[in-house]
Amino acid sequence: MSNSTYKPVPREEEDAAVMKKALATGGDKSSMMPSLLPIASYCFASIMMTVVNKFVVSGKGFSMNFLLLAIQSMVCVSCVLVAKKSGVISFRDFDMQDAKKWSPISMLLVSVIYTGSKSIQFLSIPVYTIFKNLTIILIAYGEVIWFGGRVTALTFVSFIIMVISSVIAAWSDISNALDDTWTAQDPAAAIGGLHVVQNALAHVNVGYLWMFSNCITSAAFVLTMRKRIKVTGFSDWDTMFYNNLLSIPVLAVFSLLVEDWGADNLNRSFPPETRTFLLSAIAFSGAAAVGISYTTAWCIRATSSTTYSMVGALNKLPVAASGMIFFGDAVTPGSVSAVTVGFLAGVVYAIAKNNQKKSESARNQADAIIPLSNRKP
């Protein structure tokens, strides 16, 4: 075929083809939709997921995290099976060989979602949101080590800003914890100042321990899953189906072995007066996980991967604000500064990744145009 008849495929069509494979929902119609609807849907799903999880685990006596996660996974699997049965999405049927290959990923996922639920139980939503940025740094350097990735100068600047925002958030959080402790103590009890400080910091430190564990396990999960996807050839919906399905028995077993299933503890975790509402909230959060996956794909397909990255950065503000609005998280100069700096870090990171993508695309095009070897006619 001569060069005069060759027509390059536009990038938008390539993205639409990829997303159509993942969604199997008729890409032509959704590509006509306004960009605002998928963006708003993605933001709403992610905010609701965070807020509902925080609400469920914030009960005074709640200690059934494994049970909570098992219910969410069951709801998630049920939702994707119903969607598949309805013809909305498409993914491969269950196969034992695929399950064996994917089981290590599911074990990592269990550790990710458990440490995430524990960290958000002890930390405020703004602090949790800001510290999740540190996972990006671990993943980026993991890709450099194992996949030959590259960290550009602007990306490195965004990492520095992420670390600064985390330091500001931690300083503000610890200061608020100490202030609340001193305010709550009567003068007689406050005489043992060091003991009071130690008690205040103990609760905060537990939250940060879970948070750092979540960052490490999240990075390990993403990097390992990237390798495993190449072996199995899983699509996005295949990944979601196997991740949640295989995690259910693990979560159920850990719940039975580790958690207290006595009547007293069940009543503390799920008070009779709010039990129905709590279980409904848990079911909703499981469905929201499906919503996040769908709206993520929808947002990328209806806009672009660059727009999605920017939306993810901008979304940190409303997610952090939701904690201040719904859970009374402290609104102080320190907390506002931490959220603002974290938001800036996200924007810089999105711009850096977009620039890197453009640079790599231009380099690939140059390699295709410039002959790399002699050709014989």
Side-chain angles (χ1 to χ4, degrees), residues 54 57-60 118-124 173-174 177-178 180-181 195-211:
K54 177 66 175 177
V57 301
S58 292
K60 276 188 176 181
K118 294 297 290 185
S119 58
I120 202 172
Q121 183 174 357
F122 289 98
L123 298 176
S124 66
D173 190 40
I174 293 172
L178 292 175
D180 292 342
T181 301
H195 180 66
V196 172
V197 171
Q198 289 174 339
N199 288 338
L201 293 180
H203 181 83
V204 176
N205 288 341
V206 170
Y208 286 112
L209 178 63
W210 284 116
M211 188 72 252

Side-chain angles (χ1 to χ4, degrees), residues 11-12 14-16 18-19 39 42 296-313 346 349-351 353-355 357-358:
R11 184 56 180 263
E12 291 78 5
E14 291 181 4
D15 290 343
V18 173
M19 297 317 301
I39 290 174
Y42 164 72
T296 295
W298 186 18
C299 184
I300 295 174
R301 178 162 49 85
T303 57
S304 68
S305 57
T306 303
T307 302
Y308 168 72
S309 298
M310 291 301 295
V311 170
Y349 177 76
I351 294 173
K353 295 302 289 184
N354 181 44
N355 292 344
K357 186 176 181 181
K358 286 181 178 179

Side-chain angles (χ1 to χ4, degrees), residues 124-340:
S124 66
I125 289 179
V127 173
Y128 172 82
T129 303
I130 292 167
F131 270 84
K132 282 296 287 184
N133 276 343
L134 298 181
T135 305
I136 298 174
I137 302 176
L138 296 176
I139 293 173
Y141 283 102
E143 289 182 339
V144 170
I145 296 172
W146 287 300
F147 299 102
R150 188 167 62 93
V151 175
T152 64
L154 189 58
T155 304
F156 184 72
V157 170
S158 72
F159 291 165
I160 294 176
I161 301 175
M162 288 177 191
V163 173
I164 293 173
S165 69
S166 299
V167 171
I168 296 173
W171 180 263
S172 176
D173 190 40
I174 293 172
S175 299
N176 291 333
L178 292 175
D179 289 342
D180 292 342
T181 301
W182 284 112
T183 302
Q185 294 290 324
D186 61 42
I191 293 175
L194 181 59
H195 180 66
V196 172
V197 171
Q198 289 174 339
N199 288 338
L201 293 180
H203 181 83
V204 176
N205 288 341
V206 170
Y208 286 112
L209 178 63
W210 284 116
M211 188 72 252
F212 286 122
S213 299
N214 180 252
C215 290
I216 293 171
T217 54
S218 296
F221 169 72
V222 171
L223 294 169
T224 307
M225 186 171 65
R226 178 176 172 181
K227 279 189 174 182
R228 190 63 63 176
I229 284 176
K230 292 181 179 180
V231 176
T232 59
F234 275 9
S235 68
D236 291 343
W237 291 112
D238 293 328
T239 301
M240 167 170 273
F241 174 65
Y242 275 91
N243 273 342
N244 286 277
L245 181 64
L246 297 178
S247 66
I248 292 173
V250 179
L251 291 167
V253 169
F254 272 101
S255 178
L256 292 172
L257 293 178
V258 176
E259 294 175 338
D260 182 4
W261 278 76
D264 291 341
N265 189 55
L266 285 173
N267 287 331
R268 283 193 299 270
S269 297
F270 303 97
E273 60 274 12
T274 59
R275 184 171 298 163
T276 301
F277 183 74
L278 277 175
L279 291 175
S280 300
I282 292 172
F284 178 83
S285 64
V290 181
I292 289 175
S293 292
Y294 182 86
T295 53
T296 295
W298 186 18
C299 184
I300 295 174
R301 178 162 49 85
T303 57
S304 68
S305 57
T306 303
T307 302
Y308 168 72
S309 298
M310 291 301 295
V311 170
L314 296 172
N315 200 37
K316 285 180 170 53
L317 282 179
V319 169
S322 67
M324 299 175 182
I325 295 172
F326 296 111
F327 299 99
D329 294 336
V331 182
T332 64
S335 64
V336 173
S337 299
V339 171
T340 303

Side-chain angles (χ1 to χ4, degrees), residues 1-8 368-371 375:
M1 184 179 294
S2 63
N3 290 337
S4 59
T5 60
Y6 172 74
K7 293 182 179 180
I369 294 172
I370 299 173
R375 299 184 190 179

